[in-house]
Every structure is written in structure tokens, then in C-alpha cells.
Amino acid sequence: MLNSLSKAEAKDKIREVKPWVRRFGRLGYMAKGLVYGMIGVLAALAVFGSGGGMTGTSGVLHSLAGMPFGEIALWIIGIALIGYIIWDFIKAIKDPENDGTDAKGLIKRTGYFISGVIYTNLAFGAIKLASHTGYNGGDNSGKTISAKLMDQPFGVWIVGIVGAIITGYGVFELYSGVKEKFMSKFKTYEMNDKERKIARLSGKLGLISRGIVLSMVGFFFIRAAYTHNPDQSKGIGGALTALANQPFGQFILVIVAVGLILYGVYQIIIGRYQHMNFGHDGK
């Protein structure tokens, strides 16, 4: 169904999304998938003592910079992520997914906006590294963000609210993975049986793993706000390290690392098959 939209309104809204914007957005999802796939690979390699390490999105950029053809990869990722950022802001402002203006919808749309801001920093970080103009992001990016926010008026409250939003989004992704609600995002009629199975498996395990990691990141931000200490906040790399330090942590980390690799696969599939029109009916 088109929710509260009439067919005429839906057609008008579909025309609002230019084809180049959709194509650029799809490339952005694929770039995001590559970044998360690398996070999972590096974490898995660290567990098995084959190099790698617990790092987040910013750390992956630094790892890429030291690899053969890494500069080219950084340019591609940086430029492609701009498409993802544009689509995040469209989702936040134009609401193509009909999330609405109730409390649940506004929280989701706020999450899209925050995601757009975060990936803006990541995209320009990749471009800066590729162009050798410097990029200071890294595994302590969570601390940096919370420290900057705490310097603002009501900064502690802002950090706490950001932490709550990140935690909420993490729980939402975990729930979406368990219930497989993400399948409604895909144009399944364009997928064969094998592609649908891969999309279901990668989405389920990937969203559960990322949901766990994001929930931990949000908790660290809330803890930083509660203690008034930005050093208590951590990014994805810090969350993975915290997991590794738990009982049976190495085993848990391997599972989460594989899940993050699958999340990367899921993002690439989204880039290919996701509905990216206003008011789509899911067909």
C-alpha cells in the first residue's frame, strides 16, 4: 500500500528523486559495504593473529592508505560515500520511506541525519587521505566527537542524547535483523532465489552484529555523559575491543566480525536492489 499517499501524489514524489541521485546513492551504499566488510576482515585477522586489528570506519581508511592502490580506493570510497550522504539527508528531510512525523518516525529520521553527518566526516576523511592533505580521524573518533560536544552549551546533555539515539538505532537494527523486516527494502522481484537467500542471510546476521556494536557505542556515549568524561566514549573499534575482553571474547568477536563482513555484503546488495523512490509500494 502507499500508506496515506494517493497514486498521483506518489508519482509526483517519485519524480522528485532524480535518476542520478538514486545511482549515486546506490554507489554510496556499496562503498559503505566495502568499509564495513574491511572492519570485519581486520577484526577476524586480529583474532587469528594474522595482522589486522580492532578498528572502526576511520581506522579502515588509514589501513587502506597503506595498501597497494589504497589511494585509488580512498578516492573511490570518498566520492561514492557522498551519494550515501545525500540519500541519508533526503531520507531525513524528504521522508521517501514514509517514516512519518510521529515519535518513532522522527527518531528514525533524526538517526538518518546523524548518519549523514558522520559519513560526511568519513567521506572527506577518505578524500583528505587520498589527496595527502591530512586526516586526524582514527580509533579514538568517539572520544573526539564527545569531547567536542561537551565543550558546547548543554554539551553533556547532547552527548547523552546522541548516545541514546545511537543505542536506540542499534536496538532497532538488531530487532530488524531478528525479524527480517529489512527484506521489504529490496526489489525482490528482480532477484533470483540465490540472491534472495544471500540477502536474507547477510541482512539477518549483519544487522544483528552491527546492532550489537552500535548499542555498545551508544552505551559508551551515555557513560561519558554520566561521568562527564569524554574518554569513556568509544567508537566501533573500542566496542570491538571491549567485546574481545569479555569471557569467551575471542569467540564472540569472531562471530561479530563475520557478521560485520556480512553486513558489508548486505549493504552492497542494498546498493543494487533497494527501493529508492518516494512512496514505493514494495512491489
Side-chain angles (χ1 to χ4, degrees), residues 81-95:
L81 279 176
I82 295 173
Y84 177 83
I85 294 159
I86 291 171
W87 190 248
D88 257 350
F89 287 139
I90 288 174
K91 288 194 294 183
I93 298 167
K94 293 286 190 176
D95 193 23

Side-chain angles (χ1 to χ4, degrees), residues 112-195:
Y112 298 143
F113 185 84
I114 292 174
S115 173
V117 172
I118 291 171
Y119 281 96
T120 296
N121 180 63
L122 189 69
F124 284 101
I127 292 170
K128 284 182 178 180
L129 278 174
S131 60
H132 303 285
T133 54
Y135 176 54
N136 296 323
D139 292 339
N140 65 342
S141 57
K143 295 178 184 178
T144 303
I145 292 170
S146 60
K148 288 181 179 178
L149 287 174
M150 283 189 183
D151 287 337
Q152 308 304 314
F154 305 104
V156 171
W157 286 96
I158 295 172
V159 171
I161 291 170
V162 169
I165 291 172
I166 294 172
T167 300
Y169 193 75
V171 171
F172 171 75
E173 286 208 330
L174 199 158
Y175 174 78
S176 296
V178 171
K179 294 295 185 179
E180 299 184 0
K181 290 183 175 293
F182 58 88
M183 289 301 293
S184 64
K185 293 179 178 288
F186 295 120
K187 296 185 285 186
T188 53
Y189 54 86
E190 293 186 1
M191 305 166 74
N192 59 38
D193 288 340
K194 183 177 181 180
E195 288 169 333

Side-chain angles (χ1 to χ4, degrees), residues 4 7 28 46 57 66 75 84 89 98 107 109 136 157-159 164 175 215 235 237 240 255:
S4 59
K7 290 184 179 180
T57 52
W75 275 114
Y84 177 83
F89 287 139
N98 298 325
I107 289 172
R109 292 169 68 180
N136 296 323
W157 286 96
I158 295 172
V159 171
Y175 174 78
S215 297
L240 293 174
I255 295 174

